[in-house]
Amino acid sequence: MQNLLNDLKQALEKDENLLVEGQLSKPLIEQKALSLDKEFLKLILNSRSLKEHFFEDMEETLVFDKNLLYVNYSEIDAADFEVSNEDKKLNHIFYGLKK
């Protein structure tokens, strides 16, 4: 999983529009992904590992699977996903759990 995250970071850092103060912006990335932005999708397609992870090959047509952008609630504490404490807190509130 860590290799996939590194590949994703490397690919997305090539687009200056996804950076805020030199850091990747999660809201900008989500916006581009959910709107199926062509330039964003090209960044993903240019990496073999990302292409294999985020796209389904359906009879020689690639389909972007937006659901793979999200981390399951049961996995938000896994170090591989690097979920911020703020995001974890919001999820706990949303699901009515305290941690």
Side-chain angles (χ1 to χ4, degrees), residues 56-95:
E56 290 290 324
D57 188 355
M58 303 180 82
E59 298 180 23
E60 298 184 29
T61 299
L62 292 176
V63 177
F64 181 64
D65 188 349
K66 295 185 282 189
N67 292 322
L68 293 173
L69 294 172
Y70 300 97
V71 175
N72 287 329
Y73 178 75
S74 63
E75 298 176 8
I76 64 172
D77 290 321
D80 287 350
F81 294 114
E82 300 178 9
V83 175
S84 72
N85 287 333
E86 182 179 328
D87 285 343
K88 289 179 186 179
K89 183 178 178 180
L90 289 172
N91 274 276
H92 295 316
I93 291 168
F94 179 79
Y95 289 108

Side-chain angles (χ1 to χ4, degrees), residues 7-66:
D7 291 349
L8 184 60
K9 185 176 179 181
Q10 281 183 331
L12 298 181
E13 285 177 338
K14 294 176 184 174
D15 184 349
E16 292 181 10
N17 294 318
L18 296 175
L19 302 175
V20 173
E21 297 180 3
Q23 298 292 318
L24 287 169
S25 168
K26 185 176 176 181
L28 289 174
I29 293 168
E30 288 176 350
Q31 176 188 9
K32 296 271 187 178
L34 294 175
S35 68
L36 301 175
D37 180 84
K38 288 181 185 179
E39 296 304 314
F40 176 84
L41 295 177
K42 285 180 189 177
L43 292 172
I44 304 295
L45 285 167
N46 284 332
S47 166
R48 181 178 173 205
S49 64
L50 298 177
K51 180 179 176 180
E52 289 174 357
H53 183 79
F54 287 108
F55 287 85
E56 290 290 324
D57 188 355
M58 303 180 82
E59 298 180 23
E60 298 184 29
T61 299
L62 292 176
V63 177
F64 181 64
D65 188 349
K66 295 185 282 189

